[in-house]
Amino acid sequence: ISRNGSLIAAACGTGKTIIMIDSFLELKRQGKISDNGKCLVVAKSTLKTQWQHEIKRFTGLKANIIETYKSSVGPILTRIDNIRKKIAPLLSEPLNNAMQLKELYEKLEENKKAAEFLFSSQFSPEYDFYIVNYETLRDEEVAKALKKTGLECVIADEVHMVKTDTAARSKALYEFSNVKYRFGATAT
């Protein structure tokens, strides 16, 4: 940990997850990560829920699984699209449809605000860990929001999934290379 990170290569079932969680806690205990410092966990999609469970089980800290903008607000985006479809034909005679247009634009703004609130609530400061899979990390909106959370640690589980420096997964993870502490784990 003294070099701001490590790579753990060990067989499945040997406790790599707990070691990485404990490393984050130890850094907090030593004051190397602030009391409100956050940790990003990047894992395979199938392991996100396991990470959340292990964090809660062994630490009592709060962890949230992050979804892309589209996944997290999908139904609201559908409503927005439907409102826009209702607006389009009314624009041919805006003066005759002024009241309807006003009402629809108000609904449109209301839904846009609801979508933004729902998406941004995933990044609430109440969480200590934000958990994403490698594909979600590639989402620009997710990456932008994560950068605003005060991340001081990144854990890349199954880091062998990051193959080359030109791969999309690698580029997405590299966006967080300025985070103070970085850990990787693999069983491969």
Side-chain angles (χ1 to χ4, degrees):
I1 296 177
S2 63
R3 293 183 154 229
N4 296 354
S6 65
L7 175 65
I8 301 168
C12 291
T14 56
K16 294 181 296 295
T17 302
I18 303 308
I19 291 169
M20 290 188 288
I21 292 169
D22 192 51
S23 296
F24 175 72
L25 294 174
E26 180 62 20
L27 289 166
K28 275 191 160 202
R29 191 186 67 70
Q30 292 178 13
K32 293 180 178 181
I33 289 180
S34 64
D35 287 340
N36 62 347
K38 310 298 179 192
C39 185
L40 171 63
V41 175
V42 186
K44 288 175 30 178
S45 183
T46 57
L47 298 175
K48 293 186 298 185
T49 304
Q50 179 184 340
W51 266 96
Q52 186 179 41
H53 173 75
E54 298 292 305
I55 289 165
K56 183 178 179 183
R57 179 176 167 205
F58 290 106
T59 70
L61 296 175
K62 292 185 176 184
N64 193 34
I65 296 172
I66 304 298
E67 296 181 36
T68 63
Y69 182 81
K70 189 174 181 179
S71 294
S72 65
V73 299
I76 297 173
L77 293 177
T78 301
R79 284 198 305 266
I80 289 172
D81 190 45
N82 289 337
I83 293 168
R84 286 182 175 146
K85 287 176 183 174
K86 289 178 182 177
I87 290 173
L90 297 176
L91 292 174
S92 63
E93 295 185 43
L95 294 177
N96 291 338
N97 299 313
M99 291 301 289
Q100 275 185 292
L101 285 167
K102 180 180 185 274
E103 186 179 302
L104 288 169
Y105 277 119
E106 286 172 358
K107 284 183 181 179
L108 185 65
E109 285 306 309
E110 189 179 292
N111 279 279
K112 285 180 179 178
K113 287 178 183 176
E116 182 55 38
F117 174 78
L118 186 59
F119 177 72
S120 64
S121 67
Q122 297 183 100
F123 306 93
S124 170
E126 74 180 273
Y127 298 112
D128 304 288
F129 290 86
Y130 302 102
I131 304 167
V132 299
N133 58 305
Y134 286 94
E135 289 69 31
T136 300
L137 190 62
R138 292 170 49 194
D139 184 274
E140 289 180 26
E141 294 296 321
V142 169
K144 188 167 64 172
L146 283 169
K147 289 176 183 176
K148 295 177 183 178
T149 61
L151 292 174
E152 294 185 46
C153 179
V154 172
I155 296 172
D157 192 14
E158 304 290 345
V159 73
H160 63 273
M161 293 181 67
V162 179
K163 304 261 184 221
T164 67
D165 61 346
T166 57
R169 286 178 182 158
S170 305
K171 289 177 182 179
L173 190 58
Y174 185 75
E175 288 291 317
F176 296 89
S177 62
N178 62 332
V179 172
K180 191 171 181 181
Y181 293 95
R182 298 167 306 277
F183 301 96
T186 185
T188 304

